[in-house]
Amino acid sequence: MVKKSKFIPVNVPKIFKQEKIYVKECLDTGWISSEGKFVKKFEKAFSNYNNRVYGIAVSSGTAALEIAVKSLNLKKGSEVIISSFTIISTALSVIRLGLKPILVDSDLQTWNMKPDEVIKKITKKTKAIIITHIYGFPVDMKKILYISKKRNIKIIEDSAEMIGQTYYEKKCGSFGDLSIFSFYANKHITTGEGGMVLTNSKKLYEKCKSLRNLCFGVGSNRFNHEDIGWNYRMTNLQAAVGCGQLKNINQIIKRKREIGNRYRSILSKCSKIYIQPRKLKYAKNIFWVFGILLKKNAAISRDKVVKMLSNYNIQTRNFFYPMHKQKIFLKMKFFKKKTKLTNAEYLSRNGFYLPSGLGLSNKEIDYVGKTLLKILKN
Ligand SMILES: Cc1ncc(COP(=O)(O)O)c(C=O)c1O
């Protein structure tokens, strides 16, 4: 019998000493809006970390996607290839600009968009591809990058969940024309809410910077605006937290992998679930979250497992819900009702993730893992 523990949330962030010192400095000096040295400092440090030239700090990963897509200035009706199995922010950033999202199914091992299917879905109208890395492994991007370059298709790399991850030893977020990150509280480094666009192009940098700040005019023309922008600015307070977090990035990544591998050692013999490997040929799992995928032989539904874990005070999160099944998109007729992307559907019906935050203790990991084994009776 496993004794019930206190509530274990799906995520508990870890805040270090340095963040407090930096935030106090903002409060003491009154630099609390988006003006102030920490925003630039964070942009510089984060883009350096990812081997990119420019960084544009924004208010969320969603804002970063909106800005990145808009900065490409694509003609209405252009096709943008995206994953069906991801956060809705990706599809929204495409749809809002009158572009056409073309959905791709997922791979059952990596849970990422299938590279071969991305390539098959390229047409004359394809003007951009958003490569989204999900949960632990990067997309195997080689072929996509090669073909997109040949056909002049723009690439946005969604690295929201991959801070610190590498693809063939090169940082995720350093590929493509632009990349985006999220600093929500469950990300490897957090600013509470926040995001960043990275690029090596001065032109895209200037455009993203302008879009982030309402596309203000220049000099005495300040209030005569140059395009339809947003106020997606990051505050100095948030950037101060980001600067502090970034100082601890190596320790954070190390701990994330420890959490993932500790869960793996408890759960890897269970025949009713699929859990991801420690590594593939192009990357070591970074375990942004620890995902569980029930196999067909599990003989218990995901919803039942999740409910039972919750009775043991363990919070979990279901996997993403595919874009082609979203009520709102069906109502708006973006995707056909009969669209079938069977792997994305399987993942969304049978997948969930365990508490994976940096605040998790080893004792809690063992409790969660053993409780899951007990529920699955393995
Ligand atoms: C892959 C991916 N892209 C984008 C986002 C959006 O980031 P945010 O929540 O900061 O808006 C998320 C959020 O978790 C995400 O997982």
Side-chain angles (χ1 to χ4, degrees), residues 60-62 65 86-87 89 132 158 160-161 180 182 184 187 194 320:
S60 68
T62 302
L65 274 167
T86 184
I87 189 101
S89 315
T132 306
D158 181 346
E161 303 175 359
I180 75 99
S182 162
Y184 180 65
K187 299 304 187 297
F320 291 123

Side-chain angles (χ1 to χ4, degrees), residues 308-345:
M308 288 169 85
L309 283 167
S310 151
N311 290 341
Y312 279 100
N313 277 338
I314 298 165
Q315 191 183 33
T316 56
R317 182 83 76 240
N318 289 350
F319 274 12
F320 291 123
Y321 195 72
M323 292 307 112
H324 63 289
K325 293 283 174 192
Q326 298 282 338
K327 247 189 318 209
I328 183 65
F329 291 155
L330 290 174
K331 194 164 137 202
M332 293 170 85
K333 300 196 169 22
F334 279 114
F335 310 117
K336 293 200 178 82
K337 255 206 170 100
K338 60 174 197 243
T339 306
K340 275 221 144 315
L341 298 167
T342 47
N343 290 353
E345 289 162 34

Side-chain angles (χ1 to χ4, degrees), residues 294-313:
L294 292 181
K295 288 189 188 165
K296 290 194 176 116
N297 68 348
I300 182 168
S301 74
R302 186 268 316 272
D303 293 351
K304 184 99 191 278
V305 175
V306 159
K307 175 88 190 2
M308 288 169 85
L309 283 167
S310 151
N311 290 341
Y312 279 100
N313 277 338

